[in-house]
Amino acid sequence: MTRCVYLTGIDRGDGRQVVELGVMELLTRQVDRVGVFRPLVHDGPDRLFELLRARYRLSQDPATVIGMDYREASAIQAERGTDELVSTLVDRFHQLARDYDVVLVLGTDYAATQLPDELALNARLANEFGASVLPVVGGRGQNAESVRAEVRNAYRAYHGLGCDVLAMVANRVSREDRDEIAERLASRLPVPCYVLPDEPALSAPTIAQIAQALDARVLLGDDSGLARDALGFVFGGAMLPNLLAALTPGCVVITPGDRADLVVGALAAHSAGTPPIAGMLLTLDEVPGQEILTLAARLAPGTPVLAVRGNSFPTAERLFSLEGRMTAATPRKAETALGLFERHVDTAELAGRISAPSGDRVTPMMFEHTLLERARSDRRRVVLPEGTEERVLHAAEVLMRRGVCDLTLLGPADQIRKKAADLGIDLGDSQLIDPATSELRDAFAEKYAALRAHKGVTVELAYDVVTDVNYFGTLMVEEGLADGMVSGSVHSTAATIRPAFEIIKTRPEAAIVSSVFFMCLADKVLVYGDCAVNPDPDAEQLADIAVQSAGTAARFGVEPRIAMLSYSTGTSGTGADVDKVRAATELVRARRPDLRIEGPIQYDAAVEPTVAATKLPGSEVAGQATVLIFPDLNTGNNTYKAVQRSAGAIAVGPVLQGLNKPVNDLSRGALVPDIVTTVAITAIQAQTSADRTESVPAP
């Protein structure tokens, strides 16, 4: 039977989208087929479903999401009664539910619905759907005692109507009261209660939303700038020094368009990062001259400047009534919401209470979710040497908002701050270090000179070498000032990993450093090695790569069944290349008899059961291999790229293995999600770096 979670509230204004997004994140970690059903909707596009569909790559037909609109519901209830309304919605729910493992139902929104006793209607629908209920209570503007009373009353109401209440959520509570509310409710309710503080960035409109609401012209600014959150408004009419003193991070400066001095001054302050503003809104239908706009664009590239026809007072009235919403066009709000949810909700406990059915399928999204969750469970510090690179900064913001790990960014601090300000990125409490001016430079130079003295490296020479961001970052890892390093978005593989070879070096039990890619296919994750480091490993090295790759696979939740790939299967072929693979296979069996391994074997026999039944009947690896070891770099690199491009697989890596401490390389074409995932993998490697063995659980 399809599992169903009914997420509902007791009144409007509860900020429920945060919880809806967080629960969808939990469900997509557990199962592949997640459906969404909204029994009743208002006219217009369903913004939340569009967000969920874009973020979680849902294939569900939008027409199946909606039960009916409120006008149809009111008419049915008035003419034929509540029983007929409920019966119709139940039929439409079950038409959807049969196609999914779990369905997330989004309850009514209590906004001008003209339906009597909406709470009772939500409770009845949940019961008829066979759903467990997760009620959300809004606490904005209420004191602690009022929030506690509303949560208890909401629980009694849903429980009293026969609902299976999973947990309670109090949302948008005062940050000052959050801990007290959570403590008091924990002892007053028979189910868990999660308390989320109010997060201003979630209700703050983006600059794009302001432009749309005010029908403003966009004079300057790019898409990234228009996506910034407006965290406050500062009205400029006084002299420039007074305006500068009033600026706050993330504010929108509102000033008459003929005040060119305030325009230039505010954008210059933004460029200096003191403080970074969200943008400017010019009133009175006045626009500065082209020379001022050109200067403004150079001072703060990408920062939006808007113009409206009205004066400041009516503009302010409209702005203060404007509330931002999460949509598919506001991915940064989604990251903020998920970070808030994951910090204040015991996700493991809630996932256990939901108990969504799980299977053997592991989708790319499920794998990525698991990585982020594992990294977050024991936070580590990862150093990112390419601190001024735009993709790295965007990834750093995602990692900070989601609470995945602590970060150190290397590079001139003023350049990093300026670049982040230009991109509208909040780096939170990320550590910024300039290797050239760092107080660590002297000690690192002495350390590196001592390590490389046998190569004739002097302290004077080392003093220059350690200003290279990759050398500096690697030394931070070696000295325990960071737990791992990720680089390579603008540096070559050699520039990224050479310092690790020289400074961190290989583990005693590892003959070489090698790499794997996690190949996320539609229904499973395979491990490919080595596709990035060793051009032509001999039999001994190939065996080492296999053992290391099996250890990496097991560490990341992939049960290792090793296929040693060749152009022939079993004893059907001969030749130096096949003999190398055969010898490597025997070395692995001798060294690690607990590992399941087959080789030499062709790719099709390794992964396709029907082919395996013909070529290697009875093999416990053939047809179900999860770790595929390629005989050389030429074969491995081309195969992973062919599968990535032709089969639509997501390739996560290369992940380096065999080093004493984790350092990982990025492709120079890496996208922001690739960087986020690689940093999460590095953090997980750092969690287990104290374990110096490559042990793999026996099957």
Side-chain angles (χ1 to χ4, degrees):
M1 181 177 177
T2 301
R3 189 76 165 97
C4 180
V5 177
Y6 196 112
L7 209 155
T8 183
I10 62 171
D11 203 348
R12 62 182 306 184
D14 52 28
R16 201 183 314 168
Q17 283 187 324
V18 174
V19 185
E20 292 167 338
L21 191 65
V23 171
M24 176 60 83
E25 183 89 3
L26 282 184
L27 295 177
T28 54
R29 290 177 192 169
Q30 298 180 65
V31 297
D32 180 28
R33 298 184 305 158
V34 181
V36 178
F37 186 67
R38 191 188 288 279
L40 299 171
V41 298
H42 295 282
D43 291 335
D46 189 333
R47 295 185 180 87
L48 180 66
F49 176 70
E50 291 305 314
L51 168 61
L52 297 177
R53 184 166 69 158
R55 184 175 186 87
Y56 299 105
R57 302 189 277 275
L58 303 182
S59 58
Q60 183 179 349
D61 181 351
T64 67
V65 174
I66 298 168
M68 66 181 69
D69 63 37
Y70 281 104
R71 285 180 298 180
E72 181 185 359
S74 295
I76 291 175
Q77 189 169 45
E79 296 170 10
R80 289 177 277 170
T82 301
D83 287 349
E84 183 67 22
L85 171 62
V86 171
S87 177
T88 303
L89 290 173
V90 169
D91 286 344
R92 294 178 184 179
F93 166 77
H94 284 299
Q95 289 174 18
L96 165 76
R98 64 191 178 198
D99 295 326
Y100 295 94
D101 298 318
V102 63
V103 176
L104 174 62
V105 181
L106 311 177
T108 67
D109 59 13
Y110 296 87
T113 61
Q114 298 179 340
L115 292 172
D117 200 354
E118 264 185 83
L119 190 151
L121 176 61
N122 281 302
R124 182 170 177 188
L125 288 174
N127 290 334
E128 298 289 353
F129 294 170
S132 296
V133 177
L134 184 61
V136 181
V137 174
R140 177 177 282 180
Q142 299 185 56
N143 61 37
E145 185 52 45
S146 176
V147 173
R148 290 196 295 269
E150 285 212 11
V151 171
R152 292 196 298 269
N153 290 337
Y155 171 78
R156 293 191 188 103
Y158 280 103
H159 181 71
L161 291 168
C163 293
D164 171 31
V165 180
L166 277 174
M168 298 295 299
V169 178
N171 190 33
R172 286 183 162 180
V173 306
S174 165
R175 287 189 173 272
E176 293 75 18
D177 295 336
R178 188 261 161 204
D179 291 344
E180 179 191 349
I181 293 171
E183 183 179 351
R184 293 282 294 276
L185 285 173
S187 61
R188 297 289 185 91
L189 292 173
V191 297
C193 183
Y194 308 116
V195 182
L196 281 62
D198 198 15
E199 174 52 67
L202 291 175
S203 56
T206 64
I207 302 299
Q209 290 169 339
I210 289 174
Q212 182 179 18
L214 299 183
D215 192 24
R217 288 181 292 157
V218 179
L219 304 178
L220 296 174
D222 57 21
D223 290 342
S224 177
L226 291 169
R228 297 178 191 176
D229 296 321
L231 300 180
F233 302 104
V234 173
F235 292 85
M239 300 299 291
L240 179 60
N242 294 327
L243 173 69
L244 295 179
L247 296 180
T248 56
C251 72
V252 174
V253 178
I254 302 167
T255 185
D258 58 0
R259 291 296 305 270
D261 59 328
L262 302 186
V263 174
V264 172
L267 293 177
H270 168 85
S271 179
T274 54
I277 64 174
M280 299 199 71
L281 180 60
L282 309 182
T283 61
L284 300 178
D285 203 22
E286 292 280 350
V287 177
Q290 187 56 51
E291 67 282 359
I292 296 297
L293 290 178
T294 300
L295 175 60
R298 290 177 178 171
L299 280 171
T303 298
V305 177
L306 313 180
V308 293
R309 292 186 175 86
N311 62 38
S312 297
F313 184 74
T315 299
E317 282 188 313
R318 296 173 68 186
L319 285 175
F320 286 126
S321 64
L322 183 63
E323 183 167 337
R325 293 181 178 273
M326 280 193 291
T327 69
T330 59
R332 293 165 71 184
K333 284 188 184 295
E335 299 294 352
T336 300
L338 286 171
L340 185 72
F341 183 86
E342 289 158 345
R343 280 194 299 275
H344 298 287
V345 172
D346 185 336
T347 53
E349 177 186 54
L350 182 57
R353 293 181 67 83
I354 291 173
S355 299
S358 60
D360 295 330
R361 284 171 57 88
V362 179
T363 68
M365 185 168 296
M366 292 163 69
F367 183 68
E368 292 166 14
H369 291 336
T370 300
L371 292 178
L372 297 184
E373 185 66 23
R374 286 185 60 186
R376 188 184 300 111
S377 67
D378 182 12
R379 284 181 64 147
R380 300 289 164 153
R381 178 169 293 278
V382 177
V383 58
L384 305 178
E386 297 157 328
T388 57
E389 164 60 27
E390 181 173 329
R391 290 166 294 160
V392 171
L393 288 170
H394 280 297
E397 182 181 40
V398 172
L399 291 160
M400 295 302 296
R401 287 184 182 228
R402 297 292 299 277
V404 174
C405 61
D406 298 318
L407 295 175
T408 297
L409 284 79
L410 301 185
D414 56 343
Q415 291 184 28
I416 295 174
R417 290 192 187 96
K418 184 179 185 305
K419 187 74 170 181
D422 289 342
L423 296 170
I425 288 173
D426 178 10
L427 293 176
D429 57 359
S430 296
Q431 183 183 40
L432 308 182
I433 297 179
D434 183 354
T437 59
S438 171
E439 60 186 16
L440 296 170
R441 184 176 176 182
D442 289 335
F444 280 3
E446 292 179 6
K447 174 74 175 181
Y448 182 70
L451 289 170
R452 304 294 289 173
H454 65 289
K455 293 291 186 180
V457 175
T458 64
V459 173
E460 290 76 16
L461 178 60
Y463 190 72
D464 291 331
V465 171
V466 300
T467 61
D468 179 287
V469 289
N470 285 314
Y471 275 92
F472 193 93
T474 304
L475 282 160
M476 286 189 68
V477 176
E478 174 65 15
E479 293 297 285
L481 301 174
D483 299 298
M485 184 181 94
V486 174
S487 187
S489 66
V490 293
H491 289 92
S492 68
T493 294
T496 298
I497 66 177
R498 185 186 298 113
F501 291 162
E502 295 177 0
I503 297 166
I504 293 175
K505 303 181 180 178
T506 59
R507 292 183 175 183
E509 71 280 1
I512 56 174
V513 172
S514 59
S515 72
V516 296
F517 279 88
F518 291 98
M519 301 300 294
C520 302
L521 304 174
D523 60 350
K524 59 187 172 183
V525 176
L526 301 178
V527 177
Y528 284 10
D530 172 11
C531 305
V533 178
N534 297 286
D536 189 16
D538 59 26
E540 183 74 35
Q541 292 171 327
L542 201 59
D544 191 72
I545 291 169
V547 172
Q548 289 189 51
S549 300
T552 300
R555 196 169 295 120
F556 287 91
V558 178
E559 182 182 355
R561 295 186 292 271
I562 309 168
M564 305 294 285
L565 298 176
S566 178
Y567 59 77
S568 72
T569 295
T571 59
S572 66
T574 59
D577 291 337
V578 180
D579 292 342
K580 178 180 78 169
V581 174
R582 185 174 290 114
T585 304
E586 293 307 316
L587 286 170
V588 174
R589 285 180 174 143
R591 188 190 306 177
R592 294 293 305 277
D594 58 302
L595 291 176
R596 286 181 284 183
I597 185 169
E598 193 70 68
I601 186 171
Q602 291 161 289
Y603 192 100
D604 59 348
V607 300
E608 176 52 52
T610 57
V611 177
T614 301
K615 293 189 174 183
L616 277 177
S619 170
E620 60 179 354
V621 172
Q624 52 183 340
T626 58
V627 178
L628 297 107
I629 305 301
F630 294 91
D632 54 59
L633 185 60
N634 182 48
T635 307
N637 191 269
N638 278 295
T639 302
Y640 106 75
K641 288 181 177 176
V643 173
Q644 179 187 30
R645 299 299 178 184
S646 301
I650 296 174
V652 178
V655 177
L656 298 184
Q657 51 192 15
L659 289 168
N660 273 312
K661 296 182 180 182
V663 170
N664 281 311
D665 181 35
L666 297 165
S667 163
R668 275 173 279 183
L671 302 176
V672 171
D674 302 328
I675 299 172
V676 170
T677 302
T678 304
V679 171
I681 286 174
T682 306
I684 295 167
Q685 287 179 310
Q687 292 169 356
T688 58
S689 63
D691 178 8
R692 295 292 180 173
T693 68
E694 291 288 350
S695 61
V696 182

